[in-house]
């Protein structure tokens, strides 16, 4: 049995889109963030960090978005969410998955939760703005690397494109949202057109503007 603990639009959106891409049956379990359920004893027994998502796969309890994504790629190879192991394309896939999780995703944490990064409340706006500037630079680099290629790996769609879509989406409220970079906007449109993505967004109750 597969179950995904999620909250609409959170990092859980990546494994959710991936699960929809695989077509396998799974349960979605909403974490009631309004009541801070991610910090409840029950949830902390699944993820001691109190963060979303968690994937349940039989008796396996997995936290960390990128680890969940890589597990899904391996478990459902027929879904074709990553190139074959040992190939040059697979190495590029790892590069993007690791880059996206430990660079822009981590930076977003500083942007969404700037108070975690400063000791004085008065320093919060400056911390948020600094994170925003770093995010702009990160997206500039990603956009340049993507160029006018269809997907991050060129002609081949992969879970890394879903990951990038989620991160582009998170920045939709920034003064200079990632969609303003034409390459990123085009990739996000292509990802959005996928039926599995549409279904994940619909189930999570996410409406336009999507990114
Ligand atoms: N590195 C973690 C980060 C997860 C994370 O920060 N999740 C956010 C939602 S996108 C969360 O749980 N926020 C609620 C909180 O920190 O209390 C992962 O990728 O799973």
């Amino acid at each position: 049995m597969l179950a995904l603990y999620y909250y609409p639009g959170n990092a859980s959106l990546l494994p959710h889109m991936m699960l929809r891409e695989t077509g396998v049956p799974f349960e979605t379990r909403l974490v009631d963030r309004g009541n801070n359920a991610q910090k409840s004893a029950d949830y902390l027994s699944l993820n001691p960090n109190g963060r979303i998502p968690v994937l349940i796969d039989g008796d396996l309890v997995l936290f960390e978005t990128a680890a969940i994504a890589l597990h899904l790629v391996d478990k459902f190879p027929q879904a074709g969410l990553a190139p074959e192991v040992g190939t040059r394309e697979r190495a590029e896939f790892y590069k993007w998955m690791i880059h996206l999780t430990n660079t822009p995703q981590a930076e977003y944490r500083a942007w969404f939760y700037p108070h975690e990064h400063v000791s004085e409340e008065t320093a919060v706006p400056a911390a948020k703005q600094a994170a925003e500037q770093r995010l702009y630079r990160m997206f500039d680099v990603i956009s340049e690397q993507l160029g006018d290629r269809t997907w991050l790996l060129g002609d081949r769609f992969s879970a890394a494109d879903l990951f990038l879509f989620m991160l582009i989406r998170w920045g939709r409220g920034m003064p200079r949202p990632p969609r303003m970079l034409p390459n990123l906007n085009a990739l996000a449109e292509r990802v959005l057109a996928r039926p599995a993505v549409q279904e994940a967004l619909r189930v999570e109750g996410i409406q336009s503007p999507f990114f």
Side-chain angles (χ1 to χ4, degrees):
M1 186 269 304
L2 281 168
L4 178 68
Y5 285 82
Y6 83 105
Y7 187 82
N10 279 197
S12 41
L13 183 59
L14 172 60
H16 189 182
M17 293 185 290
M18 291 179 68
L19 283 163
R20 300 273 166 207
E21 290 277 351
T22 66
V24 298
F26 65 98
E27 254 176 48
T28 46
R29 298 185 185 161
L30 180 66
V31 183
D32 183 5
R33 275 193 68 174
N35 286 314
N36 237 16
Q38 75 277 18
K39 307 294 186 223
S40 66
D42 279 356
Y43 192 82
L44 290 174
S45 72
L46 302 174
N47 182 355
N49 301 307
R51 292 184 185 176
I52 300 162
V54 162
L55 180 80
I56 308 292
D57 180 2
D59 60 3
L60 170 70
V61 178
L62 202 57
F63 60 81
E64 280 302 328
T65 309
I68 294 170
L70 293 174
H71 175 60
L72 292 175
V73 156
D74 291 344
K75 189 171 170 107
F76 302 109
Q78 69 280 7
L81 292 170
E84 213 176 309
V85 174
T87 60
R88 182 195 175 97
E89 292 72 29
R90 182 73 167 211
E92 300 266 356
F93 170 72
Y94 288 140
K95 176 189 77 180
W96 282 116
M97 293 299 282
I98 304 305
H99 178 72
L100 294 176
T101 194
N102 75 9
T103 308
Q105 188 192 355
E107 197 62 60
Y108 266 123
R109 185 87 206 166
W111 190 70
F112 281 119
Y113 309 84
H115 54 278
E116 289 178 352
H117 295 258
V118 292
S119 43
E120 294 287 330
E121 190 61 29
T122 51
V124 165
K128 190 172 176 77
Q129 215 199 337
E132 195 170 284
Q133 294 304 318
R134 290 190 296 268
L135 278 164
Y136 290 156
R137 280 195 296 280
M138 290 169 189
F139 280 115
D140 283 344
V141 170
I142 295 169
S143 168
E144 210 176 292
Q145 291 279 305
L146 174 64
D148 60 3
R149 295 183 308 166
T150 310
W151 307 114
L152 278 170
L153 301 181
D155 293 337
R156 193 193 196 295
F157 170 75
S158 74
D161 300 301
L162 297 172
F163 203 157
L164 181 53
F165 171 80
M166 182 177 79
L167 298 175
I168 291 170
R169 176 180 149 67
W170 285 358
R172 68 196 181 285
M174 296 200 300
R176 202 193 98 190
R179 68 168 178 276
M180 285 179 71
L181 296 167
N183 298 338
L184 297 186
N185 188 66
L187 179 129
E189 291 285 8
R190 282 190 282 274
V191 172
L192 183 62
R194 297 181 73 83
V197 171
Q198 291 282 331
E199 183 61 3
L201 294 169
R202 188 193 64 75
V203 169
E204 295 199 12
I206 295 171
Q207 289 169 3
S208 176
F210 297 107
F211 55 88

